[in-house]
């Protein structure tokens, strides 16, 4: 690790993780790693080791922040596993079918997708289902890791804010190229989760510029509108206006869930509370989005088997909705 020139704060965190989890943590610098870093942990992926990878383009405290964030996620998963409490968001044929049916109905209701070619609808439905599974599996714990860093590691503040600002622009525009090919509801719900993240962290970190109506160009138009103006016909048809409305509601849910003292000393109970808070956020968001029947909490082993056989699940869903060809 010395060759990576890590800060004392990060070294202390890695030492804490090794001690609490009784495991080694391998760090890898790679050119093909995304800027948010990558965690391949044994608790989730059954790889036999815990690896944190970071981008070769990241240096100094930017690198340390990315590693720290992934290390905190590792601690939450690992402590939950040591207490036999670790479950991951998964799905099975019946729950995937429930989600697919709703997505299909929404494609028929939405003006953008109602007349879409059948082959596109078949492809779209399961891809959207997997997109929300991936986002709900990763985003809440990432939010909490950022909260912990904000409260415990102020030395990383500048790197954290810089990374969050860049990540916000990327995440909020990820679906823009395909927004005319998916029902508006799903663009809004997906972006709303990232909007909620930014609103919460702007509030917790007292960083005004993290607020999405400041940072995201399409949302800046709503910055000085009062409620009456925003409810006009002009704005009510805006996909970004709906993103703000849903995102504000999701942000309020985050504030209800995140009520732990994140400034207290780091110990196993702390990270177990982080994990349980993550599960609470997911459950609350699922209810709000009317997706509570889409996914189920299961063991990591069962999820790996499910993902390995996801083509079978997709075929099952497609055959049920459209019949066998």
């Amino acid at each position: 690790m010395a060759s990576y020139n890590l800060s004392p704060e990060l070294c202390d965190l890695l030492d804490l993780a090794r001690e609490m989890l009784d495991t080694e943590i391998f760090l890898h610098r790679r050119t093909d790693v995304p800027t948010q870093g990558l965690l391949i942990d044994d608790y989730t992926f059954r790889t036999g080791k815990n690896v944190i990878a970071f981008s070769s383009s990241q240096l100094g405290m930017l690198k340390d922040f990315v590693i720290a964030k992934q290390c905190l996620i590792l601690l939450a998963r690992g402590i939950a596993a040591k207490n036999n409490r670790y479950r991951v968001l998964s799905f099975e044929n019946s729950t995937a079918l429930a989600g697919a049916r709703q997505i299909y109905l929404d494609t028929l209701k939405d003006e953008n997708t109602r007349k879409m070619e059948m082959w596109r609808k078949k492809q779209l439905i399961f891809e959207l289902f997997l997109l929300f599974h991936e986002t709900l599996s990763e985003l809440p714990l990432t939010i909490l890791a950022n909260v912990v860093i904000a409260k415990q590691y102020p030395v990383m503040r500048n790197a954290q804010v810089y990374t969050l600002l860049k990540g916000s622009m990327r995440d909020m525009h990820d679906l823009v190229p395909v927004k005319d090919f998916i029902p508006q509801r799903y663009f809004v719900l997906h972006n709303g989760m990232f909007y909620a993240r930014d609103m919460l962290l702007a509030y917790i970190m007292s960083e005004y510029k993290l607020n999405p109506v400041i940072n995201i160009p399409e949302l800046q138009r709503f910055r000085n509108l009062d409620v009456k103006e925003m409810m006009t016909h002009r704005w009510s048809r805006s996909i970004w206006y709906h993103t703000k409305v849903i995102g504000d509601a999701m942000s309020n849910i985050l504030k209800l869930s995140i009520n732990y003292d994140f400034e207290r000393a780091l110990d196993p109970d702390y990270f177990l509370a982080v994990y349980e808070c993550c599960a609470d956020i997911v459950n609350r968001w699922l209810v709000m989005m009317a997706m509570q029947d889409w996914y189920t909490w299961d063991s990591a082993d069962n999820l790996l088997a499910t993902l390995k056989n996801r083509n079978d699940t997709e075929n099952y869903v497609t055959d049920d909705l459209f019949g066998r060809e």
Side-chain angles (χ1 to χ4, degrees), residues 168-198:
S168 176
M169 290 292 290
R170 179 190 65 244
D171 295 331
M172 293 287 283
H173 292 91
D174 194 38
L175 293 183
V176 169
V178 296
K179 68 181 178 65
D180 293 329
F181 300 98
I182 61 176
Q184 177 175 309
R185 162 181 166 80
Y186 296 100
F187 179 92
V188 168
L189 289 175
H190 193 260
N191 269 22
M193 289 187 278
F194 293 103
Y195 178 104
R197 172 200 63 191
D198 298 341

Side-chain angles (χ1 to χ4, degrees), residues 113-291:
T113 54
R114 183 179 303 144
K115 297 180 181 179
M116 183 184 295
E117 301 95 324
M118 189 58 67
W119 69 269
R120 285 187 182 274
K121 286 181 181 176
K122 290 181 179 180
Q123 185 180 56
L124 166 71
I125 289 171
F126 201 65
E127 289 299 320
L128 273 179
F129 177 82
L130 290 178
L131 174 66
F132 276 86
H133 174 262
E134 179 183 2
T135 304
L136 286 163
S137 297
E138 296 179 359
L139 182 59
L141 200 47
T142 302
I143 292 172
L144 291 168
N146 271 291
V147 173
V148 176
I149 290 174
K151 296 296 185 181
Q152 297 279 346
Y153 299 99
V155 68
M156 299 183 184
R157 170 61 68 94
N158 289 340
Q160 183 178 21
V161 172
Y162 175 81
T163 303
L164 286 170
L165 286 170
K166 291 195 68 175
S168 176
M169 290 292 290
R170 179 190 65 244
D171 295 331
M172 293 287 283
H173 292 91
D174 194 38
L175 293 183
V176 169
V178 296
K179 68 181 178 65
D180 293 329
F181 300 98
I182 61 176
Q184 177 175 309
R185 162 181 166 80
Y186 296 100
F187 179 92
V188 168
L189 289 175
H190 193 260
N191 269 22
M193 289 187 278
F194 293 103
Y195 178 104
R197 172 200 63 191
D198 298 341
M199 284 293 289
L200 177 88
L201 294 176
Y203 169 75
I204 286 179
M205 299 171 65
S206 299
E207 287 285 353
Y208 184 65
K209 56 189 173 184
L210 285 180
N211 189 312
V213 298
I214 305 300
N215 186 37
I216 305 301
E218 294 88 347
L219 290 166
Q220 290 171 4
R221 68 187 70 179
F222 306 122
R223 179 178 174 182
N224 297 315
L225 292 181
D226 61 28
V227 174
K228 183 178 179 180
E229 289 175 314
M230 291 181 69
M231 291 302 291
T232 64
H233 179 72
R234 176 188 177 191
W235 298 121
S236 65
R237 295 182 62 85
S238 166
I239 198 170
W240 290 98
Y241 164 71
H242 288 284
T243 294
K244 182 185 187 308
V245 172
I246 294 298
D248 284 333
M250 287 182 160
S251 179
N252 289 334
I253 287 175
L254 288 179
K255 291 176 183 178
L256 289 174
S257 293
I258 302 176
N259 53 19
Y260 187 72
D261 179 12
F262 284 97
E263 295 187 48
R264 54 160 292 196
L266 302 180
D267 59 19
D269 288 342
Y270 184 105
F271 291 105
L272 185 58
V274 169
Y275 169 77
E276 291 177 340
C277 182
C278 170
D280 186 63
I281 291 170
V282 173
N283 288 334
R284 288 176 185 264
W285 273 1
L286 284 172
V287 170
M288 178 191 168
M289 296 189 291
M291 296 179 181

Side-chain angles (χ1 to χ4, degrees), residues 11 19 49 69 84 88 121 137 323:
C11 288
E19 181 181 349
K49 59 183 179 179
K69 181 179 65 177
N84 296 316
V88 293
K121 286 181 181 176
S137 297

